[in-house]
Amino acid sequence: MSQFVAQSKTQYDGLYEESIKNPEKFWSDFAENEFIWQKKWDKILDFDLRKPSIKWFEGAQLNITENCIDRHLDTIGDQTAIIFEPNNPNEAPQHISYCDLAINVNKTANMLKALGAKKGDRICIYMPMTPELAYTVLACARIGAIHSVVFAGFSSKSLSDRILDAQCTMLVTADGGYRGQKITPLKEIADQALENTDCIKQVVVLKRTGINITMQEGRDVWWHNEFNKANDECPAEVMDAEDMLFILYTSGSTGKPKGMVHTCAGYMVYTNFSFRNVFQYQQGDVYWCTADIGWITGHSYILYGPLSAGATTLMFEGVPSYPDMGRFWQIIEKHKVNIFYTAPTAIRALASCDLSFVNSYNLSSLKTLGTVGEPINLEAWQWYDEHIGKKECPIVDTWWQTETGGIMISSIAGVTEDIPTFATLPLPGIQPCLMDDSGNEIQEKESEGKLCIKYPWPSMARTIYGDHQRFKETYYNTFEGNYFTGDGAKRDKNGNYRITGRVDDIVIVSGHNLGTAEIENAINEHPRVAESAVVGYPHSIKGNAIYAYITPRGEFDDSAIPSLQKEINELVSGTIGPISKPDKIQFTNGLPKTRSGKIMRRILRKIAENELDKLGDTSTLLNPECVQEIIDGRLTD
Ligand code: WTA
């Protein structure tokens, strides 16, 4: 085991101390020992967080796929790299060895090249969770094209916005994707998206479901035709450390999603480091992260982290509820999964089902459990611990973000203590701090404030694609010289962190970041809507749910409500995606506003949360009378 993977609390303390005392030496020793480089760096770190400008391993050259694939071929070439478990439990799983992975990625890379893709191009990937999705992502990295994966649950409008923002020239998609009993018509959605995007010159279509689709002559080609023609050797493109590896969109406080940019070397180094430390992966373990590759968790901890560590990583195409609520547990038994990493929302949904769904399966292979994406409540944590881990598996509660690229605060499985509802301690190299409202760092150990990170780490996002000014304003202006996470946190006397939730206009619903402004924009498109305000409120399964307050335009009577609610739901679904649909829609004659006309979302949030005693003074509002009307019309479950 590498000296960089903590085996005891003392070793963790030692690594942490070294990483803070001399971060540059720490990361350079790790990078030097644990990866293959085509050329070593000239400078380990160069940064100015006020600009912000961040460069790691400047001057180095590498290709991440040589580290994720080629270097394993002589040692563990026959070991399974990816286990693919299809949506339908009766369809045979696939075991893709590192040698097979090399062949498939190289062929895909040559296919993309033959279709005109080259280094620096942006390639949009809108695919179901099939092995070909993994091949395409890695093939992009192999040829130096920048991948922009769009989650296959997004609407055509979201897809076209993302394609346009990154000016992608190629789209890789599928005819359709299986999700439980349903098929998502991906190609049809993509066709709609492409009506408004003329930057896409080439569309590659994987046949997955066999549903009827139309192919546009000259633009669309079938994956199997092109793939079969391609050669299985493709040299890895030489990439500079700070060349872009990928763009991944995440919701922001304005309606427009942010294309977070990650670069080659730092991202590779930190996803490997964090994967091996947090999960304590041992050679031969079967590791399963249930996220979709459309999210950062899938990028970092289904693909790049595990593959660069030579792990066996499981990819599941389907949903936890199909064919029944025991599917996750069935898969764990079937593939003898040792490490299982999922979201609190999935745990809560599964915990609400009959225990027989769990107890029909043998889960004794499990050694380590993990959670990600939102705070885990005590009840869900205890259920996970008792019924899934049988009180024998450490649970790592991993706090991080699309922007951070890798896990930042988490216990280390079986090495540092896990404390229910706490993400606990920062990983080596990570320097979190809490800020008070006047912008000063809080020095007392036991405290609560806004969570920032005060020193660079290798996998931090470098910019927002095409908008460095927004990057600076969103993350670096609030607390100058520090990265502001947008989360609030508490710290106990031993330095353990507990994330309390977002302090901005982002709501985490079922582990997905939703920008309230983006939902409002979609709602406001409806001709009968004058104005809207969207807030989050606590929900027992989803963590948070969406409450929309709407002032209708023109004549309005209550009989119109059901059909309007339905239309608005469809509008939001079609504009952003079904995950953003409001759970409650209340119509009101007015929204509370300040005298300068700003909607007071804080008051609306308190009403949605049913914390009516915490509304504060409403008498200074422009229209205080509407508050009582909203309270009287409040929608309850
Ligand atoms: C939230 C997902 C509490 C947090 C990797 C963060 C969490 C946002 C946790 C990022 C956790 C993520 N405990 N909250 N363990 N993990 N979050 O970009 O609010 O999809 O800012 O990245 O999820 O979500 P994102």
Side-chain angles (χ1 to χ4, degrees), residues 76-294:
I76 50 166
D78 294 332
Q79 182 202 297
T80 302
I82 297 178
I83 300 176
F84 170 62
E85 171 68 21
N87 175 66
N88 178 346
N90 300 321
E91 186 182 325
Q94 291 179 37
H95 288 80
I96 301 145
S97 68
Y98 273 95
C99 287
D100 297 339
L101 183 65
I103 292 170
N104 285 307
V105 170
N106 283 331
K107 286 186 79 159
T108 308
N110 282 325
M111 164 177 90
L112 297 179
K113 269 189 179 170
L115 293 170
K118 52 185 195 313
K119 182 173 179 177
D121 286 356
R122 275 80 56 217
I123 298 187
C124 181
I125 305 176
Y126 185 65
M127 292 179 83
M129 279 282 285
T130 57
E132 289 81 3
L133 165 56
Y135 304 155
T136 309
V137 167
L138 295 164
C140 286
R142 185 121 189 127
I143 65 172
I146 299 160
H147 55 77
S148 167
V149 184
V150 176
F151 172 60
F154 274 123
S155 68
S156 64
K157 167 83 168 45
S158 297
L159 176 61
S160 66
D161 285 350
R162 285 159 177 75
I163 288 173
L164 282 173
D165 186 75
Q167 286 290 299
C168 296
T169 47
M170 195 182 281
L171 171 69
V172 186
T173 186
D175 53 354
Y178 291 117
R179 271 188 79 75
Q181 285 178 327
K182 292 197 213 131
I183 290 180
T184 315
L186 296 174
K187 176 62 165 61
E188 192 187 314
I189 299 170
D191 284 339
Q192 285 164 18
L194 294 184
E195 283 170 17
N196 314 311
T197 54
D198 50 15
C199 46
I200 294 281
K201 304 291 176 232
Q202 190 82 67
V203 180
V204 188
V205 187
L206 175 77
K207 189 177 234 150
R208 175 61 184 135
T209 61
I211 54 171
N212 258 339
I213 58 165
T214 42
M215 296 288 278
Q216 185 175 311
E217 183 78 40
R219 184 193 72 183
D220 304 350
V221 293
W222 283 108
W223 173 291
H224 51 268
N225 290 341
E226 307 305 312
F227 182 83
N228 292 341
K229 283 189 245 168
N231 184 294
D232 63 10
E233 268 176 52
C234 176
E237 187 71 38
V238 179
M239 303 297 285
D240 287 337
E242 284 295 336
D243 278 343
M244 283 186 206
L245 175 64
F246 67 85
I247 303 170
L248 185 62
Y249 286 85
T250 188
S251 298
S253 295
T254 67
K256 193 169 185 267
K258 301 171 292 197
M260 304 313 305
V261 170
H262 285 283
T263 55
C264 294
Y267 178 81
M268 170 182 82
V269 166
Y270 193 76
T271 50
N272 175 283
F273 176 82
S274 50
F275 172 75
R276 291 161 67 197
N277 268 289
V278 170
F279 298 105
Q280 295 284 302
Y281 184 88
Q282 309 266 337
Q283 208 56 47
D285 283 348
V286 174
Y287 161 87
W288 179 21
C289 164
T290 68
D292 191 288
I293 289 176

Side-chain angles (χ1 to χ4, degrees), residues 250 295-297 341 344 371-376 397-403 409 423 485-487 499-502 508 511-513:
T250 188
W295 310 114
I296 190 69
T297 308
Y341 187 32
T371 72
V372 58
E374 57 187 313
I376 179 162
D397 175 352
T398 64
W399 174 83
W400 59 296
Q401 308 178 298
T402 305
E403 295 85 339
I409 303 181
T485 64
D487 281 320
I499 311 300
T500 50
R502 301 291 309 187
I508 312 247
H512 303 312
N513 292 11

